[in-house]
Structures are given as C-alpha cells and as structure tokens.
Amino acid sequence: VPPPLWTKEQLKAARDGREAAFRVAWRAEGPDAVVAACAELRPRVEAVLAATDDLRRINGDVFRNDPDVWQLLRYVCAPILSEENFWTLVGSPKSRSIQPKYADDAAEVIGPVIDPVRFPWVREKRAPTVTESYAAVLSTVVLLAAQRVGTGARGDASKRQEAAVGAVLAAAGYKLDGSSGKIDFLDDLARGSYSAERRVGGAKCDVPVRLRDGRLLAIECKVSIGPKNGWKRMNRETGGKAETWRTHFGAQVVTAVVIDGVFDLGCLTQAQDRQGVTI
C-alpha cells in the first residue's frame, strides 16, 4: 500500500486549522506559563547573585561549587551566550555540567562580558542600588522564563506527539520494542513492532516502525512556532533524514512526519512532492 498523497487544498485546510488552534492555545496558555516560570526562576537568580557578590566575584569556585550554574550565567552576558558558543569559548566538550578542570576557563569566559546595561555596577566596581538590583533580577528572570517557556512548549508538544503516535500504533496491534540499539538492517526491528527514539541508518528517528509487509516506517514528530522554523523542521531536518534513510535502505523505507503548529504551505508541498516525506 503506497503512503497517502495530499492535495494542495487538503494540506492548506489542515494547515489553516492547526494555525488557528495554535493562536488560541498561545493566547490562553502563554502568559500564565511565563508567570509560573518567573516565580520558579526568581529564587534561583537571586541565589546566584548572592553567591557571586552581585556578579562582582566570578571565579572558578563559582562553577566548582555549582556545576550547573553555567546555564543561568549565560543569560547575564551581553550578548547572551548560546550553549554552543559557551562550550566553544570554554574549550570543553559539551556537557550537562561544568567539569572541575574547566571551572576557571568558564569564569574567564563569563566574567569579562557581564551585561553593562542590566548590571552597570560590575563595570563601575561598586555595589548595586536597590533599584538596580530589582531591575536586574526582574529582567534576567524574564529572559530565562521566555526561553524556558518557548523551549518547553516545543518539547512538551513533541512528547505528546510521540505518545499519540505510540497510542495509534498500539491500537493497530503493533508491539512496543524496548530495545535501544541502532537499526542498521531491517530485521533489527521485528515486523509489527515499533520503538521509542533510536538511531536508524545513521540518523536519529523519533518513532521507528517495522511494517507488517517488511518495510521500515520512519516517523518524525515536529512542532513549529512559525513559517521559518517550519522550513527548518520539515525540509532541512526531516527531508534531510529522508534522503539519508533512502540511501541506506532504498525503497524499503517510508519517511513520515507528524506535525503541529505553524507551517508554510510551500514547505509542506515541497516536503511531500519533492522530498518524498509522508505528512
């Protein structure tokens, strides 16, 4: 049975419906999510400022005593440091926490680039006023909360998608394979089964499925917050993987994608008609 092909009109109708739902959900949930994140993050920001003498004492001990503090301190820099840039400047492999041997290097990265707009007292080598301290804490908490809510919303949506896909497969009689090893050959996954994220033919797949007819169904779960983001999620990521899997498995693989959020119509038609991705 060939995978379904949607007309441009069908894709547009589905896209418009999900975009409308996205707007409603964002208006209803976005502000409350930011308020909740700010309430959770504020004590953490205040504690870090207290531990560093209002950022006037950034040294290796800060990172040795709290190996996870780098995630917050990225947001006191001007400009804010991305994770990738932080690890590149530190000279350390990416990690969840700062290894003790890189603590001094991390301090040398953060210390000289403290934001002089939010934290003017650091450059002026003095204590902050009450007003300055309040404004600095509030602005930093809001920056952190905005990032957390945006990232968390996409992550939660992806998890919901994967759970929904699993429920559909289970209802169709497919069995969950709890293995975590690579799938380099079709028979690495039994017919009539599926699994959670695994590396498939050189690229990670959110939900690999072995169809009963022997083909491999590689399902990706993607959430987009805007048209530009949608092109990245659909055409660069999913389309790129589709090519990788076709090179590895040939005609025995079908790449599919479950999507939600905001996608440009051209992005959807290109993925289906040119890149061979089933939506």
Side-chain angles (χ1 to χ4, degrees), residues 175-181 189 193-196 198:
K175 296 181 180 179
L176 177 63
D177 183 326
S179 304
S180 59
L189 189 62
S193 66
Y194 70 99
S195 78
R198 288 168 73 174

Side-chain angles (χ1 to χ4, degrees), residues 83-105:
E83 289 191 24
E84 185 174 2
N85 285 346
F86 174 79
W87 291 116
T88 297
L89 292 169
V90 171
S92 165
K94 289 184 179 181
S95 175
R96 290 183 179 275
S97 302
I98 291 288
Q99 299 177 33
K101 64 180 179 180
Y102 292 108
D104 292 329
D105 296 314

